[in-house]
Amino acid sequence: MATTRTATTQWKGALLDGSGTVSLDSSGVGTFDVSWPSRAEAANGKTSPEELIAAAHSSCFSMALSHGLNGAGTPPQSLETRADVTFQPGEGITGIVISVKGHVPGITAEQFQEAAETAKANCPVSKALTGTTITLNAELLS
């Protein structure tokens, strides 16, 4: 069954001196401040579209990798995934780096890398971001 998730942004003012809030409506977990300086300079306690994309990408990738590993008979004990989304004013999002560290008994580093590459290619957020270069760093921990 398909699901739809909703977020709403309220914005006031021009881009450079305006500001807004983004609310995560479907979950109700919060409303967060956004502004151009928090996007193009320092976060200063506010979020940005790129940080929200990083959150979506790291969680989606983790779910896809966990699913793939479990399907291969080697469920992970733990995965820690970080997504770094780079934004260049005037250009947009110029790249994403996914870094994952995993405790997965019973597989080799090469098998972990292969599973991570498959997750990167098949995660729905990766698919939605196909116009962006996505780099992967995968490390199997002992």
Side-chain angles (χ1 to χ4, degrees), residues 25-106:
D25 300 337
S26 300
S27 63
V29 297
T31 299
F32 305 93
D33 294 331
V34 294
S35 68
W36 177 254
S38 69
R39 185 176 194 186
E41 299 166 16
N44 291 322
K46 298 177 182 175
T47 194
S48 68
E50 291 73 28
E51 183 177 37
L52 297 170
I53 289 170
H57 206 175
S58 66
S59 58
C60 180
F61 174 87
S62 293
M63 290 178 191
L65 181 54
S66 175
H67 180 67
L69 289 166
N70 189 61
T74 54
Q77 285 182 344
S78 65
L79 298 171
E80 179 180 320
T81 305
R82 174 183 173 134
D84 295 304
V85 177
T86 301
F87 173 75
Q88 177 63 48
E91 291 181 47
I93 294 174
T94 58
I96 300 171
V97 176
I98 297 173
S99 300
V100 60
K101 296 178 181 180
H103 288 280
V104 187

